[in-house]
Structure formats: C-alpha cells, structure tokens
Amino acid sequence: MNAGETQRAPWIVGVSGASGTPYAAAVLRALLDAGEAVDLVVSRASRLTLLDETGISFRDAHWQEDLREWLARGADGKPGTFEVDVSGVRYWGAGDLAAGPSSGSYPAQGMLIVPASTACVAGVALGLSKDLLQRAASVTLKERRPLVVAVRETPLNGQTLRHLVALDDAGASVVPASPAFYAGATHIQDLVDFVAGRVLDAAGVGHGLYRRWKGELGGGAAGR
C-alpha cells in the first residue's frame, strides 16, 4: 500500500439459511448508502431461502447481477423498488476457507450475521468453523471486533438460548429479528427496516431507517 493510501476495511455480512432475506437486503443497502465497504458471504442454505422468498437464484458466477436484483427488491417482493450500486461489495464463496475474512490479519471493521439461523448460532457458539460464514464469525470474536447476530427463529429452545448466552459472553451482540411498532410503521418495509436499523445500531453504523423514540407518546400514530 502506498503512503497516504487508505486501506479498505469492510463490514463482513453473513447471510445464513434462516427465513428473513429482506432483513439482509435492508442491512446491505444501508451499509452501501452509508459509504461502507462490504464483504458478503452467502451460505449454501441461504440460497435456498432466497430462492423460496424472492425467486432469485444466487449464483457465484453471476453474483453481482443476482445481488443487484435482490437488493432492488422491496420487502413486499416488488422488483425495482430500490436503486442500488453494488460496486462496494466483495463476494466470497461460503466454501472458500482460504478467503480473506478467514484470517484475523485481514482488515475488517466487524461482522453482521443477518438473518442468523439456529444452526448458524450453534456453529459460531461452538467454534465449528464448518464454512466461511462460521469461520469469519470466529475470527471476528477472537480479534475482539463487533459481531452482531440477528437471530430469526421462534420459539427458541433451551439449547439455542444457551448458545446465544455463550455468544453474548464472548462479546457478540444478539439482536432478535423482532420488529417494533412505535416507529409508526405503515408498510412491511418499515418493519423490516426497523430490524435492520437495530442491527446497524448495535454495530455503530449511522442510518436513517426508522423513527427513533423521543419520549413522546403517540408519536408513531401521528406520523401515519
């Protein structure tokens, strides 16, 4: 790197196989809107969920085209809702354990797992590193970087709850994909954006995805 040249330090975004691909899309759009660099890891299971929820096939050889189509889609499934520039994204295959994010020496600001399945939660909590998503999360923890886990499952059994406590003990922020209604939501996208905003809050990334509480009762209803 030449003197004066700024080193790229991305946020790693891992997408696991849980239902909730609109949450991941909202987080990715907000990071890019904020001018943040993004390294994307899409698990094999999440490709099936993405296909089921959106009809989009995410292909390694055409990831930019598929990502652009995915991020342009609204939470209601309507295509072409958003205009997105994906030039700030670097994609790594889930099976590529030699990828940059697999090493602690790779510069990164932290990692967001959105949505996080219970299988993903277990793998990260136990340090299994069975794929790049889990390995990158383990690296994030050992390097003491922010790790935000947006778990999307209900009900939660005792085993998963113990795994979540283990992640909290290790320094991760556990953010359930639980929309709130005080922000005056009038559309499904508003509920999705609230969860995405709370994920970014936990990571310390600025955004304008939802109306924040100001201590005034009735503010959400007044905004409708």
Side-chain angles (χ1 to χ4, degrees):
M1 185 171 65
N2 296 326
E5 184 179 339
T6 302
Q7 186 178 48
R8 181 180 183 273
W11 284 98
I12 302 167
V13 177
V15 186
S16 80
S19 176
T21 55
Y23 293 129
V27 166
L28 287 164
R29 284 193 299 266
L31 286 171
L32 295 173
D33 286 345
E36 300 285 353
V38 173
D39 275 21
L40 178 63
V41 181
V42 178
S43 76
R44 292 176 180 175
S46 70
R47 295 173 189 238
L48 299 177
T49 307
L50 183 63
L51 179 62
D52 184 56
E53 294 184 344
T54 69
I56 296 171
S57 297
F58 197 89
R59 304 160 294 176
D60 285 346
H62 303 280
W63 70 266
Q64 287 180 308
E65 174 187 341
D66 297 337
L67 178 63
R68 192 177 297 110
E69 181 183 359
W70 175 26
L71 299 190
R73 194 174 296 254
D76 59 0
K78 183 179 179 181
T81 301
F82 300 97
E83 292 186 8
V84 184
D85 179 6
V86 300
S87 60
V89 179
R90 184 172 186 178
Y91 171 72
W92 302 94
D96 185 3
L97 291 177
S102 68
S103 172
S105 66
Y106 182 77
Q109 296 191 60
M111 183 174 184
L112 317 174
I113 305 178
V114 189
S117 66
T118 55
C120 174
V121 166
V124 176
L126 296 173
L128 298 183
S129 295
K130 73 170 188 176
D131 60 10
L132 179 59
L133 195 160
Q134 292 184 14
R135 172 59 185 168
S138 294
V139 167
T140 301
L141 287 176
K142 80 179 183 68
E143 296 295 326
R144 300 296 191 265
R145 296 167 183 160
L147 173 65
V148 183
V149 180
V151 61
R152 214 307 307 162
E153 185 61 86
T154 189
L156 295 171
N157 62 27
Q159 187 176 43
T160 298
L161 290 169
R162 286 188 286 273
H163 289 151
L164 291 172
V165 169
L167 289 177
D168 179 78
D169 289 343
S173 295
V174 177
V175 181
S178 177
F181 297 86
Y182 62 78
T186 59
H187 190 276
I188 186 174
Q189 188 67 55
D190 298 326
L191 298 175
V192 167
D193 285 348
F194 180 87
V195 172
R198 295 300 287 152
V199 169
L200 294 171
D201 287 345
V205 177
H207 65 87
L209 288 175
Y210 68 88
R211 171 188 172 274
R212 295 185 181 277
W213 176 251
K214 298 180 180 179
E216 301 172 0
L217 292 177
R224 292 190 176 95

